[in-house]
Amino acid sequence: SLTLMTFSESVSNNHDFNQFPIKMTKGTTSFGKRHNKSHTACRRCGKTSFHIQKKTCSSCGYPAKKMRSYNWAQKAKGRRTVGTGRMKYMKTLTRRFKNGFREGTQAKKMIASKD
């Protein structure tokens, strides 16, 4: 004959259920499924932030003409602002300004004073 059991009774009878509990992991097992690339290297900033389907960079905003930057991200602004690169022109500017941007002149020789 057919007997009716409650859920708790059926779980207690099922030994395999208690033996292998279902694990909800965010780590190791999830990382094994990561094999599709949504982002690739960007032409402008070089970061791996260019979304292949959207065709836009999440870091610099390429192909938009203006660089992507927000005031809520001060650190990100500092990483790509003036002074983070070579500064080929800018690094000599303060010294040249101090001397009045003189060009084509020879510095006067310093003559030692005779005592």
Side-chain angles (χ1 to χ4, degrees):
S1 70
L2 187 67
T3 57
L4 296 171
M5 283 193 287
T6 60
F7 177 74
S8 58
E9 288 174 347
S10 65
V11 168
S12 62
N13 292 343
N14 187 1
H15 300 291
D16 293 334
F17 184 80
N18 295 329
Q19 214 171 12
F20 303 105
I22 299 165
K23 292 183 180 176
M24 305 289 273
T25 59
K26 292 181 273 183
T28 311
T29 52
S30 301
F31 279 90
K33 294 170 183 172
R34 305 201 321 179
H35 55 75
N36 294 326
K37 287 187 178 179
S38 58
H39 293 87
T40 188
C42 174
R43 284 182 194 164
R44 183 158 63 184
C45 66
K47 287 187 178 182
T48 313
S49 304
F50 189 79
H51 198 282
I52 299 165
Q53 287 184 321
K54 291 181 183 178
K55 298 277 188 262
T56 53
C57 180
S58 58
S59 180
C60 71
Y62 181 82
K65 289 180 179 70
K66 288 187 179 180
M67 286 285 280
R68 175 187 174 274
S69 70
Y70 294 99
N71 287 329
W72 49 258
Q74 289 296 324
K75 278 187 174 180
K77 275 185 157 186
R79 289 189 197 108
R80 59 166 71 110
T81 190
V82 177
T84 56
R86 249 177 91 181
M87 289 213 318
K88 187 179 179 181
Y89 174 77
M90 290 282 285
K91 65 181 162 189
T92 60
L93 199 63
T94 49
R95 174 175 48 82
R96 288 169 53 237
F97 170 75
K98 185 178 70 179
N99 297 318
F101 296 101
R102 65 181 180 207
E103 286 183 346
T105 58
Q106 195 77 24
K108 291 180 182 176
K109 290 184 180 178
M110 299 292 284
I111 303 166
S113 60
K114 296 175 183 174
D115 291 344

